[in-house]
Amino acid sequence: EKIGSFNRVEEFKIILSASEEKDGIYRCSIRSKNKSVVEVATKYGGGGHECACGATIDNFEVAMEMLKESMED
């Protein structure tokens, strides 16, 4: 998976990767080193682990919203 290459990045708070699977369908992965982001993925119908999760969405703008929500305190 493309997001796996980000594991080599030493300093980051949140990483969101969005890849188009089909026309208008995106697979989003969210990673955090020390903050729970699974609530955001769950809100959009996804899930996973506390700091490594994702969701499938049908609008790229939703990916940007997921990133913003992940970064909120």
Side-chain angles (χ1 to χ4, degrees):
E1 183 180 352
K2 294 175 188 176
I3 194 85
S5 63
F6 288 113
N7 289 335
R8 294 180 295 213
V9 177
E10 292 185 26
E11 293 187 36
F12 69 89
K13 292 182 181 182
I14 306 287
I15 293 175
L16 185 138
S17 170
S19 60
E20 190 171 15
E21 299 291 311
K22 300 179 196 175
D23 291 337
I25 304 295
Y26 297 88
R27 182 175 175 190
C28 295
S29 297
I30 309 169
R31 299 291 185 270
S32 170
K33 287 213 176 188
N34 57 10
K35 180 182 180 195
S36 177
V37 290
V38 72
E39 297 87 7
V40 174
T42 302
K43 177 180 175 182
Y44 292 96
H49 300 281
E50 187 173 328
C51 295
C53 52
T56 301
I57 58 172
D58 61 2
N59 183 326
F60 186 75
E61 294 302 318
V62 172
M64 296 297 96
E65 193 60 36
M66 290 174 70
L67 180 59
K68 288 177 190 176
E69 290 179 29
S70 297
M71 295 174 65
E72 293 175 354
D73 288 330

